[in-house]
Amino acid sequence: NAGVTQTPKFRVLKTGQSMTLLCAQDMNHEYMYWYRQDPGMGLRLIHYSVGEGTTAKGEVPDGYNVSRLKKQNFLLGLESAAPSQTSVYFCASRGHNNSPLHFGNGTGLTVT
Amino acid sequence: QQQVKQSPQSLIVQKGGISIINCAYENTAFDYFPWYQQFPGKGPALLIAIRPDVSEKKEGRFTISFNKSAKQFSLHIMDSQPGDSATYFCAASRETSGSRLTFGEGTQLTVNP
């Protein structure tokens, strides 16, 4: 099993550019999440989804949008990238409440 | 607003020593407390977890101690090994929260040979 796969692995954007990060899971999980990881700040939840067609805001949603059109995919979009969005982004999924989160290996994003 | 506070930010331990990482939480409704381990270039992975109906849980060299009245929990790594060098995150969630985990800031553990 591939588990949780994130693409791309790395990306450099200029301020104002847009991009979409793709997350795919093959475990038939209901819940999917996007986190960002910054030094000294841990993992902060951006958006999440409790099922196909649903999305909800997390702790730091501003500047990001998400879509969950298919159960196995969760897309994170940046419409107009800003240097403050330079971070490592992690996607995760879980099957039900309080089951282990399965993380992808992250996408490193630099906005210049 | 950080609902889960973790300390220390970094920790250096000699091989064979005990590593101790502490977390404190604010929300008394939290009922699930996992620890995640992250190696460089990888995503975090679940290490061990506890629910508030027990005060301690042990899995091999890893033990969680939980103090409900103090709203604190800690990870103890016995006989620490260089392979344990990683970043450790504590986390907490409520069963009915829509399944959202709140993470601590992370602790970078280095175990010297």
Side-chain angles (χ1 to χ4, degrees):
Chain A
N1 282 345
V4 178
T5 303
Q6 292 184 231
T7 53
K9 288 183 170 40
F10 301 98
R11 185 74 185 269
V12 178
L13 289 179
K14 295 186 186 303
T15 297
Q17 287 185 318
S18 64
M19 79 162 293
T20 300
L21 282 67
L22 173 63
C23 177
Q25 54 95 3
D26 61 3
M27 296 170 284
N28 199 35
H29 284 170
E30 288 295 331
Y31 301 148
M32 296 188 74
Y33 308 81
W34 276 106
Y35 288 90
R36 60 177 289 173
Q37 182 176 12
D38 302 289
M41 303 190 77
L43 292 150
R44 292 182 294 167
L45 183 63
I46 304 170
H47 286 282
Y48 65 104
S49 168
V50 299
E52 181 179 322
T54 74
T55 63
K57 294 180 180 180
E59 301 172 59
V60 289
D62 294 343
Y64 305 96
N65 57 76
V66 287
S67 65
R68 183 105 182 262
L69 298 180
K70 294 183 178 181
K71 186 177 184 179
Q72 63 268 36
N73 295 336
F74 196 30
L75 278 62
L76 178 70
L78 286 74
E79 290 187 349
S80 179
S84 61
Q85 293 178 305
T86 293
S87 187
V88 180
Y89 291 85
F90 285 98
C91 176
S93 70
R94 73 196 317 184
H96 55 82
N97 278 345
N98 294 343
S99 61
L101 271 176
H102 294 260
F103 283 86
N105 286 329
T107 294
L109 175 65
T110 300
V111 183
T112 60
Chain B
Q1 182 180 359
Q2 190 71 31
Q3 293 194 56
V4 179
K5 289 200 171 293
Q6 183 172 346
S7 62
Q9 188 172 0
S10 63
L11 180 62
I12 299 174
V13 173
Q14 291 299 118
K15 179 181 176 181
I18 302 174
S19 304
I20 302 174
I21 304 170
N22 301 299
C23 281
Y25 63 96
E26 298 172 4
N27 189 341
T28 55
F30 285 151
D31 58 7
Y32 176 66
F33 303 90
W35 285 88
Y36 280 77
Q37 180 188 54
Q38 182 183 30
F39 293 106
K42 300 293 186 182
L46 179 67
L47 184 63
I48 186 172
I50 196 169
R51 286 185 167 79
D53 52 343
V54 295
S55 60
E56 185 175 284
K57 182 173 182 179
K58 184 175 181 179
E59 290 185 2
R61 296 184 294 109
F62 301 91
T63 299
I64 299 179
S65 297
F66 183 79
N67 185 330
K68 188 174 182 178
S69 61
K71 293 187 288 184
Q72 295 176 348
F73 58 110
S74 60
L75 176 69
H76 296 237
I77 306 175
M78 311 299 289
D79 187 25
S80 299
Q81 299 295 313
D84 296 330
S85 297
T87 300
Y88 293 81
F89 293 97
C90 63
S93 70
R94 292 173 55 196
E95 184 83 29
T96 56
S97 72
S99 205
R100 292 177 294 168
L101 271 176
T102 299
F103 285 87
E105 299 93 330
T107 297
Q108 187 166 348
L109 171 66
T110 301
V111 181
N112 288 329

